[in-house]
Amino acid sequence: MLNIGFTPDSDRDIPAGAERAWRDGRIGLATLSATDLRYGWFAYRTDFEVGGHAFLAGAREPLVDTMFTFAHTLRGLYANGSAEIDFTESSYVIRLEVTGDRVTFTASHRAPAEPPRCAVEDYTAAVRAFVATGIAWLAGNRPAIAENPALHELRALVPDPAGGGTGDPGRRTL
């Protein structure tokens, strides 16, 4: 089993320090920097489970940052055969390594005795679905964000394979 998901909570869309500027119209979602979106906006409960092991279980993470992090793991897996999911707020790291057609997941903390694995194509599909769902949620609930360059960058990182995209542009189709 592989699950990457989030539970929206509109109470956590806007960081506490930005509420007044938001209400006054001094902040526009279309023009917020990727850094701002990645480190404070849309902090939702996030779940990441592989093979019955919950690497993230209800952690509150900024959705845009989580989408970027997962999208970049695809590039790492295809370019180097390995990637990391790193949390700057803590020392928790999830390492991903490709062996054959499988991805093995190990964690710096609370790691299971037998590292969970899944097919590379299943992980790729789950990341693409997670990013597509996150972008759709954000754009559907805060339409101005649809024009934000950060979301365009995310779409480019995980193009739709039906549209001829690749997980690692110029290399191979996933």
Side-chain angles (χ1 to χ4, degrees):
M1 177 175 147
L2 173 63
N3 174 49
I4 306 171
F6 67 97
T7 304
D9 178 356
S10 63
D11 291 342
R12 302 287 276 213
D13 282 358
I14 303 160
E19 285 181 39
R20 184 178 182 129
W22 171 260
R23 279 194 313 270
D24 294 346
R26 292 181 282 139
I27 293 177
L29 291 176
T31 58
L32 271 178
S33 72
T35 301
D36 285 340
L37 285 173
R38 289 183 74 162
Y39 299 104
W41 292 76
F42 309 103
Y44 299 148
R45 178 189 156 163
T46 304
D47 297 297
F48 175 45
E49 182 180 343
V50 181
H53 179 76
F55 287 96
L56 297 176
R60 281 209 176 269
E61 302 292 337
L63 179 60
V64 174
D65 188 46
T66 306
M67 290 189 298
F68 268 106
T69 299
F70 278 104
H72 282 292
T73 66
L74 294 181
R75 289 194 170 244
L77 290 176
Y78 281 92
N80 309 319
S82 64
E84 288 187 348
I85 299 170
D86 186 346
F87 299 91
T88 56
E89 301 80 29
S90 70
S91 60
Y92 187 53
V93 176
I94 303 166
R95 291 175 187 82
L96 294 72
E97 186 169 335
V98 174
T99 305
D101 66 346
R102 315 244 344 132
V103 180
T104 301
F105 300 84
T106 57
S108 59
H109 302 24
R110 302 176 306 276
E114 181 65 29
R117 295 173 175 80
C118 73
V120 172
E121 67 184 40
D122 292 345
Y123 179 71
T124 300
V127 170
R128 282 187 169 132
F130 174 71
V131 171
T133 301
I135 289 172
W137 167 259
L138 292 172
N141 289 283
R142 303 284 187 173
I145 201 170
E147 296 306 315
N148 189 293
L151 295 192
H152 295 293
E153 184 180 343
L154 269 168
R155 286 183 192 100
L157 286 171
V158 290
D160 180 359
T166 61
D168 190 4
R171 298 228 175 165
R172 58 184 164 170
T173 301
L174 303 178

